[in-house]
Amino acid sequence: MALWGRSSYRLLNWRACRSIRKYCSASSNAPDLTKNRYNVKRGNYAELSPDDLATFEGIVGKNRILIDATEVESYNIDFLKSVRGYSRVVLKPKTTQEVSEILKYCNKRKIAVCPQGGNTGLVGGSVPVFDEIVLSMQAMNKIEAIDGVSGIVVCQAGSILEQLEEKVHEQGLCMPLDLGAKGSCHIGGNVSTNAGGLRLLRYGNLHGSVLGVEVVKADGTILDLMSNFKKDNTGYHLKHLFIGSEGTLGIVTKVAIFCPAASKAINLAFLGLENYENVMKTFLMAKQQLGEILSSCEMIDAESLECSTKPFNHPSPIADYPFYMLIETSGSRVEHDEEKLHDFLNCAMDSGIVLDGTTTNDSKKMKDIWFLRERIAPGIIQDGFCFKYDISLPLKQFYDIIPAVKKRVGRLATRVCGYGHIGDSNLHLNVSCPEFTQEIYKLLEPFVYEFTSDLKGSISAEHGIGFLKPSYLKYSKSPEALDLMREMKAVLDPNGILNPYKVLPRNS
Amino acid sequence: MALWGRSSYRLLNWRACRSIRKYCSASSNAPDLTKNRYNVKRGNYAELSPDDLATFEGIVGKNRILIDATEVESYNIDFLKSVRGYSRVVLKPKTTQEVSEILKYCNKRKIAVCPQGGNTGLVGGSVPVFDEIVLSMQAMNKIEAIDGVSGIVVCQAGSILEQLEEKVHEQGLCMPLDLGAKGSCHIGGNVSTNAGGLRLLRYGNLHGSVLGVEVVKADGTILDLMSNFKKDNTGYHLKHLFIGSEGTLGIVTKVAIFCPAASKAINLAFLGLENYENVMKTFLMAKQQLGEILSSCEMIDAESLECSTKPFNHPSPIADYPFYMLIETSGSRVEHDEEKLHDFLNCAMDSGIVLDGTTTNDSKKMKDIWFLRERIAPGIIQDGFCFKYDISLPLKQFYDIIPAVKKRVGRLATRVCGYGHIGDSNLHLNVSCPEFTQEIYKLLEPFVYEFTSDLKGSISAEHGIGFLKPSYLKYSKSPEALDLMREMKAVLDPNGILNPYKVLPRNS
């Protein structure tokens, strides 16, 4: 095994990247307006009047309504600079009651609303398409309770994931989810998009971890679906309607979430491999030998790694290989975990499926390795524009799509690369180019979705549907399921004011 | 520690108990008709005509329609002998298409339908209240696929849990749930009731484990919500509407479920303790010291244990104590797990919170210890009649309800006892008596629910609502949530033919 030898990487965190990005977007580098680029027709919603603005100001007060065009602009553009709306107003409620009053008024007036968390979504779900008012949850960031014994955290939807992680850690707990955008993303946004991330392999998805939610319906009704217990079989399990429906059925204002005990021992291995087949073999071996302490299993191809090393001047701790894996263990006993990991790595090296690697349990070094994985997303957009696909595929054919797409787009792409949560069969396929063009767009879509659908995969494993994918939903959902989705929308938001143009297929 | 010394317990499995019970129920010991005991009014459903029977026979064939009164009787009575309907016909479809045809016809004719799995439910949800036709899933028991690599099992809804466990075990997997009724209960029933059970502590609930379902709607529409992936964020997460809605929104016909790898090392400890406070302390210590290998943590009080020892002539492996705990570990490495368990038990014994105990990793002996837990439910009904409550309560006040109920019912009860999944804050409170009387019933209800609600607990942790609890739903669900439940029912089953009189509060 290679030793961990390099040090003093210059660290730029996601938040810092985001600030730079926002600045760029808002000035020179803003994308076309969504309505033009994607040729969408505005729904029959009311236009904002001075009376409306006065009413909103009456609800949230002067300090929590933004109407200055420069201030509003960053709320109109998504993280990937792929979509851009032209909302004129951002509201920042502080209480559920305020959210309720805003929605009640909007519903009556048929004013469209775009709820927004940390605006870190990757499918254009979190920014307006036209002039929807932006309902930012930034000011609803109160952590109401952390119970170290039961492991239950109750907090407002605007709480930032990383801050929650820090707070629950003080009580010996950890959040059941972790993702690259943790420094900005909101727990309410995580819940609304059923965010997956790096720990899903170990702690399962949010449908399992979220114990309760408080939601405001389109008509302003406050739905108390909170629970402080892991087991609650009292009637329909309504909270799940709001987990993953991306703010189109209601706005999540509060969350109760079960946090597992923080692990006493965490180890991280960063490995170099020759080909995808060995990546798969290594995952299966890790699953077998690490068993209950395996907490993350990530794959990164060489071109992906370059995105997180070069732009951030952050070298890899091992030499260059076609593939890399990041394997994390979390457990309750240092010596047991180290023995398991050591035996697994020996076995993997001896059998020749892993060529090189480094392991560490030093928290700073682990953070550095994690940055290699987490900075791929912010790094790749430095190429200009990035088409992102987030698909579930069978393990055996997991990487086949990369060479297929490379062949298809040829020189039009700056980069075609793949990384992701191989432990959960979830691949992030990224195609970067200097700027968005219809030519490359049409080569990629629906090709990627058809390829995925042919393998019976999911066209959106964790990013959701948002604005960018509704027309491709049919590749993963049956017509009957789509009908039922429309029925749910009609019941919960009959005027269609909540996050319009998102999730549900248009022209239907 | 006491050594495991006794042997050759006479084993009577749950299936055997159930056969005896069914025989008794159907002859001398049948309960009053539900409509009389609970004074319910029949809904405005069609009465069965000879034409209807001919149509049904046309769909399922002669061999899968029961109309003989003796044959039908056991389908009319629940496991606890607490409810009894008077259906005249049982249909046993073999395919989803047959279920679809039956429902399409019933929906048109407004014939009420009671879907039935293994009929092991404890809240009267699985038998007719009046003359609803019984749609038994017994014949839909095909296991379609088990993928040892991905851990995904696809099977028809009538597959019996224990048989699934055996089959997946051959592929190195285990089912993510386990419960006392495993020898009879169906996976479709488990999903429809969001069954909890003995492994929830480790593997989470079914909202997390179930990857996909196929459901037939009341109008016969087949909804394909199947998925073979742990991550699938394509639109609304509709499957959750059918997990835990007890067959009132649709009939689950197929299930895809994620099975974790079977543990290489399983250890079981059976402990004796002085009081509840020490039970709680032991759980918290186990959680801390056993960490990721803790797979079950059960509490049994002395009176509960008596129900599983005496009637089955099955002695306890340790001396008598006021409380017992059953702690299971499952992990990937024998020596690591044994060391963790050994250290934990030493610590618990040294500190005096555990008085006595025995541990084993011998599969026959573990089975014997598990019988002590699993046979409480079939054992207690030997007292005559049993009121069963299944509540989630905060750990600190977890056992307070037992002395409170004892005091309240006094000599009217044969036994007031408590056991359950302390690891998930889930208590089973049981009150047995020679027979059902209005006097004891009125002392217990709504008292138990009010007590639970005052502690912000859940009035049904895992058993569901069924027929027996709809009027108490208000103690755990807000009026707005109840309204939304009604709206969901109206969308999915506008004629109300699916499992009527269940889950939703009556007179509303």
Side-chain angles (χ1 to χ4, degrees):
Chain A
M1 303 292 286
L3 287 173
W4 182 278
R6 322 199 185 173
S7 60
S8 315
Y9 300 127
R10 199 174 128 249
L11 302 183
L12 249 180
N13 74 19
W14 176 278
R15 259 176 302 186
C17 302
R18 279 183 43 73
S19 308
I20 295 165
R21 188 267 308 172
K22 275 194 179 167
Y23 180 75
C24 299
S25 303
S27 54
S28 59
N29 206 8
D32 294 341
L33 283 175
T34 304
K35 71 182 179 90
N36 300 335
R37 178 177 283 177
Y38 294 96
N39 193 21
V40 208
K41 198 168 157 266
R42 186 179 180 280
N44 191 22
Y45 299 104
E47 308 266 357
L48 277 195
S49 70
D51 276 0
D52 296 330
L53 292 179
T55 303
F56 293 142
E57 193 177 308
I59 297 170
V60 296
K62 263 199 172 147
N63 293 332
R64 289 189 278 110
I65 178 169
L66 307 183
I67 48 166
D68 175 85
T70 326
E71 280 188 307
V72 171
E73 196 167 4
S74 69
Y75 295 84
N76 271 314
I77 302 172
D78 74 322
F79 171 65
L80 293 175
K81 296 183 273 186
S82 62
V83 282
R84 179 169 153 232
Y86 56 92
S87 181
R88 289 169 42 210
V89 60
V90 176
L91 303 179
K92 299 188 177 182
K94 224 177 158 62
T95 65
T96 302
Q97 197 53 45
E98 287 179 4
V99 175
S100 166
E101 284 173 44
I102 293 166
L103 289 193
K104 194 172 170 185
Y105 180 80
C106 290
N107 194 46
K108 215 178 280 172
R109 278 270 296 132
K110 296 206 179 166
I111 294 170
V113 179
C114 175
Q116 189 174 92
N119 194 10
T120 60
L122 300 172
V123 288
S126 56
V127 293
V129 176
F130 292 89
D131 57 345
E132 303 93 282
I133 67 161
V134 174
L135 196 73
S136 165
M137 303 303 281
Q138 279 171 6
M140 293 186 67
N141 60 356
K142 201 176 154 201
I143 300 175
E144 296 189 358
I146 301 177
D147 183 336
V149 174
S150 66
I152 293 158
V153 175
V154 178
C155 63
Q156 281 189 309
S159 306
I160 289 175
L161 180 59
E162 193 170 60
Q163 290 173 7
L164 279 171
E165 178 68 37
E166 283 163 16
K167 288 286 176 197
V168 305
H169 204 83
E170 289 167 14
Q171 305 272 333
L173 305 171
C174 74
M175 293 297 290
L177 78 162
D178 183 24
L179 46 153
K182 59 177 169 273
S184 311
C185 67
H186 294 184
I187 190 72
N190 298 151
V191 170
S192 299
T193 57
N194 186 34
L198 305 160
R199 289 179 187 159
L200 192 136
L201 174 69
R202 174 66 169 273
Y203 300 117
N205 67 39
L206 289 174
H207 287 283
S209 305
V210 171
L211 303 182
V213 291
E214 179 190 73
V215 174
V216 182
K217 280 166 63 182
D219 66 2
T221 307
I222 298 171
L223 259 181
D224 177 358
L225 306 173
M226 294 297 281
S227 168
N228 282 335
F229 294 97
K230 282 167 77 182
K231 291 167 103 169
D232 180 21
N233 268 354
T234 50
Y236 303 164
H237 294 231
L238 300 169
K239 70 182 177 205
H240 300 282
L241 275 170
F242 305 100
I243 300 176
S245 52
E246 305 180 40
T248 63
L249 297 180
I251 295 183
V252 173
T253 47
K254 203 195 278 191
V255 174
I257 191 160
F258 176 75
C259 296
S263 296
K264 291 173 200 155
I266 298 181
N267 290 282
L268 198 56
F270 189 73
L271 313 174
L273 305 95
E274 186 58 42
N275 51 45
Y276 171 71
E277 210 189 321
N278 287 346
V279 170
M280 184 176 78
K281 282 184 186 163
T282 304
F283 163 54
L284 295 175
M285 190 187 275
K287 206 165 105 161
Q288 265 220 328
Q289 297 200 16
L290 299 173
E292 63 280 359
I293 64 164
L294 179 62
S295 54
S296 281
C297 188
E298 299 287 312
M299 181 209 83
I300 303 172
D301 68 12
E303 284 205 72
S304 299
L305 192 73
E306 211 180 59
C307 302
S308 68
T309 50
K310 278 200 181 161
F312 304 102
N313 192 22
H314 183 158
S316 158
I318 61 174
D320 291 348
Y321 294 95
F323 289 87
Y324 304 90
M325 288 181 83
L326 199 156
I327 291 180
E328 187 196 72
T329 66
S330 313
S332 58
R333 191 115 158 206
V334 182
E335 69 276 21
H336 289 172
D337 290 10
E338 283 181 351
E339 197 178 339
K340 284 188 184 94
L341 184 61
H342 181 256
D343 292 353
F344 153 67
L345 289 174
N346 269 352
C347 193
M349 299 283 283
D350 288 350
S351 67
I353 58 172
V354 167
L355 298 179
D356 192 6
T358 175
T359 64
T360 180
N361 59 11
D362 173 278
S363 65
K364 158 122 188 21
K365 285 175 184 165
M366 287 197 290
K367 217 168 179 176
D368 273 4
I369 294 187
W370 271 118
F371 273 140
L372 290 173
R373 166 66 183 82
E374 290 171 359
R375 285 219 195 99
I376 302 171
I380 203 164
I381 55 170
Q382 312 269 337
D383 286 347
F385 186 85
C386 180
F387 292 92
K388 294 185 86 73
Y389 303 97
D390 157 53
I391 49 193
S392 283
L393 289 167
L395 274 191
K396 277 190 187 156
Q397 292 97 357
F398 192 68
Y399 199 73
D400 292 358
I401 197 166
I402 306 288
V405 168
K406 268 189 183 160
K407 191 173 158 197
R408 193 168 165 85
V409 296
R411 290 190 184 171
L412 290 175
T414 308
R415 191 188 310 267
V416 177
C417 62
Y419 62 98
H421 319 289
I422 186 172
D424 299 311
S425 300
N426 178 190
L427 178 74
H428 296 317
L429 157 67
N430 282 244
V431 183
S432 67
C433 47
E435 59 179 3
F436 176 95
T437 68
Q438 290 290 338
E439 191 185 1
I440 187 164
Y441 174 48
K442 283 177 183 160
L443 281 173
L444 287 167
E445 301 184 20
F447 175 78
V448 169
Y449 300 118
E450 283 169 355
F451 194 103
T452 306
S453 177
D454 287 348
L455 293 169
K456 298 194 172 161
S458 165
I459 63 134
S460 181
E462 60 176 9
H463 294 169
I465 298 302
F467 171 77
L468 295 173
K469 298 186 184 175
S471 53
Y472 306 117
L473 250 189
K474 62 184 178 195
Y475 291 104
S476 282
K477 278 263 187 297
S478 68
E480 296 79 15
L482 287 170
D483 285 345
L484 185 52
M485 280 177 60
R486 287 184 199 103
E487 288 180 295
M488 293 295 114
K489 178 73 175 176
V491 167
L492 282 152
D493 180 19
N495 292 337
I497 62 161
L498 289 178
N499 222 5
Y501 324 103
K502 318 277 172 70
V503 185
L504 292 152
R506 291 181 277 279
N507 312 317
S508 60
Chain B
M1 302 290 287
L3 287 173
W4 182 277
R6 322 200 186 173
S7 59
S8 313
Y9 300 124
R10 201 176 127 248
L11 303 183
L12 249 179
N13 73 19
W14 176 277
R15 256 174 303 185
C17 302
R18 280 184 41 75
S19 307
I20 295 165
R21 187 267 309 173
K22 275 195 178 167
Y23 180 75
C24 297
S25 303
S27 55
S28 59
N29 205 9
D32 295 341
L33 283 173
T34 304
K35 73 183 178 92
N36 299 334
R37 177 176 284 176
Y38 294 95
N39 194 22
V40 207
K41 197 168 159 268
R42 186 177 181 281
N44 191 24
Y45 300 104
E47 308 266 356
L48 277 194
S49 70
D51 276 1
D52 296 330
L53 293 179
T55 304
F56 293 142
E57 193 177 307
I59 297 170
V60 295
K62 261 197 176 150
N63 294 332
R64 289 187 278 112
I65 177 168
L66 308 183
I67 47 166
D68 175 83
T70 326
E71 281 188 309
V72 171
E73 197 167 2
S74 69
Y75 295 84
N76 270 313
I77 301 171
D78 74 321
F79 170 65
L80 293 175
K81 295 183 276 186
S82 62
V83 283
R84 180 170 152 230
Y86 55 91
S87 180
R88 289 168 45 209
V89 60
V90 176
L91 304 179
K92 299 188 178 182
K94 226 178 157 59
T95 64
T96 302
Q97 197 53 45
E98 287 179 5
V99 175
S100 166
E101 284 173 43
I102 293 166
L103 290 192
K104 193 173 172 185
Y105 180 79
C106 290
N107 193 47
K108 215 179 279 173
R109 277 273 294 132
K110 293 204 182 170
I111 294 170
V113 179
C114 175
Q116 189 175 91
N119 194 10
T120 61
L122 300 170
V123 286
S126 55
V127 293
V129 176
F130 291 90
D131 57 344
E132 302 93 283
I133 68 160
V134 175
L135 196 73
S136 166
M137 304 302 281
Q138 279 171 6
M140 292 186 67
N141 60 356
K142 200 176 155 200
I143 300 175
E144 296 190 357
I146 301 177
D147 183 338
V149 174
S150 66
I152 294 158
V153 175
V154 177
C155 63
Q156 280 189 307
S159 305
I160 289 174
L161 180 59
E162 193 170 60
Q163 290 174 6
L164 278 171
E165 177 69 38
E166 284 162 15
K167 288 286 176 195
V168 304
H169 204 83
E170 290 167 12
Q171 305 271 335
L173 306 171
C174 75
M175 292 298 290
L177 78 163
D178 184 23
L179 47 154
K182 59 176 169 272
S184 310
C185 66
H186 294 182
I187 190 71
N190 298 150
V191 170
S192 299
T193 57
N194 186 32
L198 305 160
R199 290 178 186 160
L200 192 136
L201 174 68
R202 174 67 170 272
Y203 300 117
N205 67 39
L206 289 175
H207 286 283
S209 305
V210 171
L211 303 182
V213 291
E214 179 190 73
V215 174
V216 181
K217 281 167 62 181
D219 66 2
T221 306
I222 298 170
L223 258 181
D224 178 357
L225 307 172
M226 295 296 281
S227 168
N228 282 336
F229 294 96
K230 284 168 78 183
K231 292 169 102 169
D232 180 20
N233 268 354
T234 51
Y236 303 163
H237 294 229
L238 300 168
K239 70 182 177 205
H240 301 281
L241 276 170
F242 307 98
I243 300 176
S245 53
E246 305 181 39
T248 63
L249 297 181
I251 295 183
V252 173
T253 46
K254 204 195 278 191
V255 174
I257 192 162
F258 176 74
C259 296
S263 296
K264 290 174 199 151
I266 298 182
N267 289 282
L268 198 55
F270 189 71
L271 313 174
L273 305 97
E274 187 58 40
N275 52 43
Y276 171 70
E277 210 190 319
N278 287 346
V279 170
M280 186 176 77
K281 283 184 185 161
T282 305
F283 162 56
L284 295 175
M285 189 187 276
K287 208 167 103 164
Q288 265 223 326
Q289 298 200 14
L290 298 174
E292 64 280 0
I293 64 164
L294 179 62
S295 54
S296 282
C297 188
E298 299 287 311
M299 181 210 79
I300 303 171
D301 69 10
E303 285 207 73
S304 299
L305 192 74
E306 212 180 59
C307 301
S308 69
T309 51
K310 277 200 181 163
F312 303 102
N313 192 23
H314 183 160
S316 157
I318 61 174
D320 292 347
Y321 295 94
F323 288 88
Y324 304 90
M325 287 181 84
L326 200 155
I327 291 180
E328 188 195 73
T329 66
S330 312
S332 59
R333 192 114 156 206
V334 181
E335 68 276 21
H336 289 173
D337 291 10
E338 282 181 352
E339 196 178 339
K340 284 188 184 93
L341 184 61
H342 181 258
D343 292 352
F344 154 67
L345 289 173
N346 270 350
C347 192
M349 299 282 284
D350 289 349
S351 67
I353 57 171
V354 167
L355 298 179
D356 192 7
T358 176
T359 63
T360 180
N361 59 11
D362 173 277
S363 66
K364 161 129 188 11
K365 286 175 183 164
M366 289 198 289
K367 215 169 182 174
D368 273 5
I369 293 188
W370 271 119
F371 274 140
L372 291 172
R373 167 65 183 83
E374 291 171 359
R375 285 218 195 98
I376 302 171
I380 203 163
I381 57 170
Q382 311 269 339
D383 286 348
F385 185 84
C386 181
F387 291 93
K388 295 186 87 73
Y389 303 96
D390 157 52
I391 49 193
S392 283
L393 289 166
L395 274 191
K396 276 189 188 157
Q397 292 97 355
F398 192 68
Y399 199 73
D400 292 358
I401 197 166
I402 306 287
V405 168
K406 268 189 183 158
K407 194 174 157 196
R408 191 166 166 88
V409 296
R411 288 188 187 174
L412 290 175
T414 308
R415 190 189 310 266
V416 177
C417 62
Y419 62 97
H421 319 289
I422 186 171
D424 299 310
S425 299
N426 178 192
L427 179 73
H428 295 316
L429 157 67
N430 282 243
V431 183
S432 68
C433 48
E435 58 178 6
F436 176 94
T437 70
Q438 290 290 337
E439 193 186 359
I440 188 164
Y441 175 47
K442 283 175 184 161
L443 281 171
L444 288 167
E445 301 182 19
F447 175 79
V448 169
Y449 301 118
E450 283 169 354
F451 194 103
T452 305
S453 177
D454 287 347
L455 292 170
K456 299 195 172 161
S458 165
I459 64 135
S460 182
E462 59 175 9
H463 292 169
I465 297 302
F467 170 77
L468 295 173
K469 299 186 183 174
S471 53
Y472 305 117
L473 250 189
K474 61 184 177 195
Y475 290 104
S476 284
K477 277 262 187 301
S478 68
E480 294 79 15
L482 288 171
D483 285 345
L484 185 53
M485 281 176 62
R486 288 185 199 101
E487 288 181 294
M488 292 295 116
K489 178 73 175 176
V491 167
L492 282 153
D493 180 20
N495 293 336
I497 62 160
L498 288 179
N499 223 4
Y501 323 104
K502 319 278 173 68
V503 186
L504 293 152
R506 290 179 279 278
N507 312 317
S508 62

